[in-house]
Amino acid sequence: MRRTVAAVLRKELRLELRAPQAVPAMALFSVTTLVVFHFALQRGQVDGDLAAGVLWVTLLFAAMLGTSRLFVADHEEGGLDGFLLAPVDRTALLVAKALALLGFLAAVEVVAVPAFALLLLGPTPDPGAVAALVLVLLLADAGVAIIGTLVSALAVQTRARDLIVPLLALPLLIPVVIAAARATTPLFLAGGSEAVPARWLAILGLYDLVFGLLAYAVFDYLVED
Amino acid sequence: MLYGTRLRSLSLLTAVTLTAGFGLAFFYAPMDADQGFMQKIFYVHVPLAIVALGGFVFGGVMAVQHLRTRDARYDLRSYVAIHLSLVLGAGVLITGSIWAKASWGHWWVWDEPTLVSFLVVFLLYATYQPLRFSIEDPERQARYASVFAVTAGAFVPLNFLAVRLAQAYTHPRVFATANGGLPAKMQLPFYLCLIGMALLFATLWKYEMASKHTSAQLRSLRRKLGGDDAGATHGRTAAPSLRTSS
């Protein structure tokens, strides 16, 4: 199981490194979205709940972009068939794809979050706030990666693939948006950052756990043929 | 399996229970001190919402059964339940909106957590039909729809939890829980309406199941008489088609 996951993950990352497709597009998209927010909100600087909202909408929509491409190459080039022929556990594909998506999201955030801080964020966060932000990002990304992998595997076999992914994933991710936006709001306050309320981290953790187990339970039915 | 049996008695029971429930709601239950007559919509809105959510969960349970047994009949049960719950869900949103307008003056209120959660659930389940439509292969369509129904079924309670917690302050919830803040004279009509609405769901579900089975049988009979072309379905549908062996 662990070796299979490592092999599939290595293949995903190598593919992305040799011919970067998802990560640059997502990063570019998120920076462009920040610019769009600047003009649409008609503001030079944001703070507090508005800042948290801008950040999460940007990251979520960028994630949708990468999610809909996640299984496309495997589907079109026969990678899925090859995987199904191999005598390995199918769950390995779920874990590897989710880890790959998590890696892509983290790579995008390395670009998008500093860009957000530079372009739009009013108050400058202190190191403690940055550490808390990284924790929230990690917990939220895990949820996005799990749901993204599940929805992407579901949508890749449909005709309207790119339409189905955001339609399915966005309502499913609303609890993540609620918790992540609430958790990051205190970090961006104009009068200096405050501590992240623990219950939103608990909600994010609970969400990751529930949907992680659920994805584990149902994923086998999505990659049968 | 026959779905057409006892439809008449079930329909009668539903009609009697709902009429009695609404009758009691209007003539027996006391007027609400704050909201007056408008509060009567509570006897439609809340039972509808509970039954719709129950229908979604029932669809999820049937989907689990379908994934476990690979029996197409469970897929049909899940499909009909979700499809009916969506129709009831539209009713919930409309009645909730009317109630919000009457008691708070706005058609939509974002700090009413239950209604907001319901909207999110409704939006999620609204993609069930497009998902089915976009998968050609019937077997795969059934399997994927079931995976969706299971995921969405698990999502319902988690979403309600998250939205509820997101309200820093909630409206004074007169009807916090069904039996919590409800006066005794309101309880009886409410429960009667709830049972009536559940019966209505069961009746409509049985009707649609019976109809789907009958048309599947009709199709297979036609096919026997007039060759393969005669059994083709007309129009665009994402409903699971049963292969009856009659």
Side-chain angles (χ1 to χ4, degrees):
Chain A
M1 170 85 177
R2 192 177 298 167
R3 282 183 51 220
T4 323
V5 172
V8 178
L9 185 61
R10 212 159 42 233
K11 171 225 142 212
E12 291 292 325
L13 296 181
R14 184 168 295 164
L15 209 61
E16 189 60 34
L17 280 177
R18 293 240 173 108
Q21 197 181 16
V23 174
M26 287 157 78
L28 197 61
F29 177 83
S30 48
V31 175
T32 314
T33 310
L34 291 174
V35 176
V36 170
F37 265 121
H38 162 69
F39 288 111
L41 294 173
Q42 302 174 33
R43 290 215 190 182
Q45 287 189 335
V46 290
D47 57 62
D49 50 0
L50 193 60
V54 168
L55 178 65
W56 284 107
V57 168
T58 307
L59 292 180
L60 195 67
F61 285 5
M64 290 300 105
L65 215 59
T67 300
S68 53
R69 306 297 303 170
L70 194 59
F71 280 89
V72 171
D74 291 280
H75 181 63
E76 282 171 358
E77 310 291 334
L80 272 179
D81 300 330
F83 182 83
L84 289 177
L85 284 174
V88 290
D89 192 352
R90 275 110 192 240
T91 313
L93 187 62
L94 168 74
V95 178
K97 285 283 187 185
L99 285 176
L101 186 54
L102 187 66
F104 293 172
L105 289 173
V108 168
E109 277 152 11
V110 167
V111 178
V113 176
F116 166 72
L118 198 74
L119 292 173
L120 278 176
L121 189 60
T124 312
D126 53 67
V130 173
L133 181 64
V134 169
L135 179 65
V136 177
L137 281 172
L138 206 63
L139 280 172
D141 283 354
V144 175
I146 292 165
I147 291 293
T149 310
L150 195 62
V151 168
S152 183
L154 205 105
V156 76
Q157 307 280 5
T158 65
R159 267 180 288 137
R161 184 191 302 144
D162 297 333
L163 291 178
I164 291 284
V165 166
L167 277 182
L168 280 178
L170 286 179
L172 280 172
L173 286 172
I174 281 183
V176 172
V177 175
I178 293 174
R182 297 268 167 171
T184 40
T185 300
L187 302 175
F188 298 148
L189 288 179
S193 54
E194 292 169 13
V196 174
R199 70 170 174 174
W200 296 116
L201 297 179
I203 288 279
L204 282 174
L206 182 70
Y207 185 94
D208 295 350
L209 183 71
V210 169
F211 278 99
L213 290 174
L214 193 78
Y216 172 70
V218 297
F219 189 76
D220 280 9
Y221 297 104
L222 290 178
V223 286
E224 264 184 356
D225 36 23
Chain B
M1 181 164 171
L2 285 172
Y3 289 93
T5 51
R6 274 173 297 179
L7 257 182
R8 180 173 313 195
S9 45
L10 191 63
S11 314
L12 277 175
L13 187 64
T14 307
V16 169
T17 319
L18 267 184
T19 316
F22 289 146
L24 281 180
F26 276 104
F27 299 111
Y28 170 77
M31 274 300 180
D32 189 81
D34 295 334
Q35 303 178 35
F37 183 71
M38 205 47 219
Q39 184 263 339
K40 301 289 185 203
I41 202 171
F42 161 77
Y43 297 101
V44 182
H45 173 72
V46 179
L48 257 184
I50 293 173
V51 170
L53 287 178
F56 286 138
V57 172
F58 176 68
V61 173
M62 287 296 115
V64 171
Q65 287 293 321
H66 172 245
L67 288 179
R68 280 178 53 197
T69 62
R70 297 302 161 90
D71 188 341
R73 280 177 307 181
Y74 284 113
D75 181 43
L76 182 61
R77 285 172 197 163
S78 167
Y79 169 82
V80 173
I82 288 175
H83 159 86
L84 266 178
S85 287
L86 263 175
V87 177
L88 296 190
V92 173
L93 291 176
I94 292 169
T95 50
S97 194
I98 293 172
W99 196 9
K101 174 71 182 167
S103 58
W104 299 313
H106 298 284
W107 289 109
W108 188 258
V109 186
W110 281 109
D111 43 11
E112 170 50 46
T114 325
L115 200 56
V116 173
S117 315
F118 201 90
L119 177 68
V120 176
V121 168
F122 183 81
L123 286 176
L124 176 63
Y125 274 98
T127 53
Y128 180 74
Q129 308 263 5
L131 176 69
R132 286 200 87 113
F133 270 124
S134 65
I135 304 174
E136 305 262 359
D137 178 36
E139 194 271 337
R140 175 176 283 162
Q141 186 195 70
R143 194 148 42 81
Y144 279 35
S146 291
V147 168
F148 172 84
V150 174
T151 312
F155 170 77
V156 170
L158 205 62
N159 175 55
F160 268 77
L161 177 72
V163 176
R164 173 62 63 89
L165 280 178
Q167 313 301 325
Y169 58 95
T170 47
H171 268 273
R173 295 182 64 77
V174 190
F175 314 107
T177 51
N179 44 17
L182 213 56
K185 284 192 96 178
M186 286 185 177
Q187 265 181 31
L188 175 70
F190 172 73
Y191 285 126
L192 214 54
C193 286
L194 182 59
I195 293 167
M197 212 57 94
L199 282 172
L200 180 69
F201 184 88
T203 312
L204 291 175
W205 185 79
K206 273 181 80 108
Y207 262 112
E208 195 169 343
M209 289 300 287
S211 146
K212 290 262 190 292
H213 268 262
T214 316
S215 42
Q217 265 169 349
L218 188 67
R219 216 163 35 238
S220 77
L221 286 176
R222 277 222 184 104
R223 207 175 285 138
K224 265 184 195 160
L225 284 172
D228 277 346
D229 297 340
T233 44
H234 300 289
R236 193 162 169 260
T237 175
S241 55
L242 289 181
R243 219 153 272 163
T244 47
S245 50
S246 56

